[in-house]
Amino acid sequence: MLRDAPNFQALWGDLIVEELVRCGVDHFVVCPGSRSTPLAQAIARNPNAHATLWLDERGAAFHALGMGRAIAWAHAVVTTSGTAVANLLPAVVEASLDGVPLLLLTADRPPELREVGANQSIRQTNILSEHVRWSCDLPAPDTSMPARALLSTIDHAVHCAVDGHDGPVHLNCPFREPLAPTIEPWDAAWLDDVESWVTAAEPLHEICSGDSIDTLHDEDLAERVRSAERGLLVCGRIAYQTDADAVMELAERLGWPLWADIRSGLRLGCDVAGSLAHVDRILAAEGAPRPDMVLQF
């Protein structure tokens, strides 16, 4: 289905919707509008996406909020650009105060049409920022952004909505013409980097917080670690020496290379044999092996 997209705008919308569905966000409350056409079309094309049409954005957001209360999972609202986005605020405030997961997909003008008097163009990137758990102004569809980066952003957005500190998340989605599914050639090689994702049914990343991992996740994670052939440990800031010692012990047991940030306390004087410096240059080198699993602390 993805490789059959009529144009690149449509493909971009297809990836957003498909990854949301794979993350469990499979119900979309869709409001009318032109700028959101790539998202609406993607929902209509996706056999696993379910849509409810709603004429006004304020009611649509409260409808999705109600479904979130009933099922305790995020549902998505899709709006066009401009003042349509402002109508989401009442439901967003309620979702934030009550800890109800909610995903807001707001279409927008691309950067070149902002601040120039374009119809239905307002400063909507931070319009909900005081009341959402996380927000992101996606770039307008462009092959310079890897497909993997777009999918990872969607995964992170869903995680922020349902990570135990549940609440609303805002994804602002600029689109250029053509908004309609008119036929325009696009470079199919853009999807090569995520070919295994295209042919699979799972999201690109499953993100788990440490305090949300239960026994089942522990066993599954341990099996994934055991089966990894090219694992990499990445260590950021660590507050306590006992935690730093635990990371070093894990690195030694696994025999995986360790890439430590200077704030981790593991960069200098680290006794782990596989401790790496300048790993960004190593991974960027031609023919460098790619890790098949990364554990980040």
Side-chain angles (χ1 to χ4, degrees):
M1 180 190 76
L2 294 170
R3 293 192 179 277
D4 296 332
N7 56 57
F8 194 69
Q9 317 296 315
L11 175 67
W12 193 270
D14 284 342
L15 261 68
I16 292 173
V17 171
E18 175 64 21
E19 188 69 346
L20 286 173
V21 168
R22 294 190 189 191
C23 290
V25 183
D26 58 0
H27 200 111
F28 300 81
V29 186
V30 182
C31 302
S34 174
R35 189 60 54 172
S36 55
T37 297
L39 292 172
Q41 288 282 340
I43 295 166
R45 283 193 296 267
N46 194 306
N48 298 313
H50 309 284
T52 298
L53 303 182
W54 210 278
L55 292 180
D56 74 286
E57 291 79 13
R58 189 180 190 277
F62 274 108
H63 183 72
L65 174 65
M67 290 193 294
R69 289 189 194 279
I71 303 178
W73 194 255
H75 295 73
V77 181
V78 178
T79 77
T80 189
S81 62
T83 54
V85 182
N87 284 285
L88 300 174
L89 184 59
V92 169
V93 172
E94 190 165 324
S96 180
L97 292 175
D98 290 351
V100 180
L102 182 65
L103 199 63
L104 311 154
L105 302 177
T106 60
D108 197 0
R109 296 292 196 274
E112 64 270 18
L113 291 181
R114 297 176 184 175
E115 309 290 349
V116 294
N119 183 42
Q120 281 298 304
S121 177
I122 65 172
R123 295 177 185 174
Q124 62 188 61
T125 54
N126 294 312
I127 195 171
L128 306 171
S129 60
E130 291 294 320
H131 306 284
V132 295
R133 299 293 186 264
W134 185 70
S135 64
C136 179
D137 185 25
L138 289 171
D142 194 314
T143 55
S144 64
M145 180 176 182
R148 182 173 296 274
L150 175 61
L151 297 173
S152 296
T153 302
I154 303 304
D155 295 335
H156 182 70
V158 175
H159 171 69
C160 289
V162 298
D163 68 349
H165 184 48
D166 299 358
V169 166
H170 180 201
L171 284 175
N172 198 56
C173 309
F175 287 102
R176 294 187 173 95
E177 300 283 351
L179 301 173
T182 54
I183 304 298
E184 278 197 359
W186 53 276
D187 186 3
W190 187 71
L191 287 174
D192 289 350
D193 187 43
V194 292
E195 182 59 39
S196 60
W197 174 87
V198 171
T199 57
E202 301 298 324
L204 184 67
H205 299 302
E206 180 185 0
I207 304 175
C208 298
S209 297
D211 57 2
S212 67
I213 297 179
D214 55 23
T215 303
L216 179 62
H217 276 107
D218 275 344
E219 294 172 355
D220 179 55
L221 180 59
E223 179 56 35
R224 294 189 192 187
V225 170
R226 282 192 291 266
S227 62
E229 296 180 358
R230 298 181 307 280
L232 175 66
L233 292 171
V234 177
C235 191
R237 185 182 65 84
I238 292 184
Y240 303 106
Q241 186 58 44
T242 52
D243 292 340
D245 293 341
V247 173
M248 284 194 293
E249 181 180 353
L250 180 62
E252 290 171 352
R253 289 192 182 191
L254 293 176
W256 289 9
L258 171 64
W259 181 23
D261 183 85
I262 191 66
R263 297 172 298 169
S264 67
L266 297 174
R267 175 71 70 82
L268 305 176
C270 178
D271 295 330
V272 177
S275 181
L276 297 175
H278 314 298
V279 74
D280 49 342
R281 294 198 174 190
I282 295 173
L283 294 178
E286 187 72 26
R290 296 292 181 185
D292 60 359
M293 184 172 193
V294 176
L295 289 181
Q296 176 179 320
F297 297 91

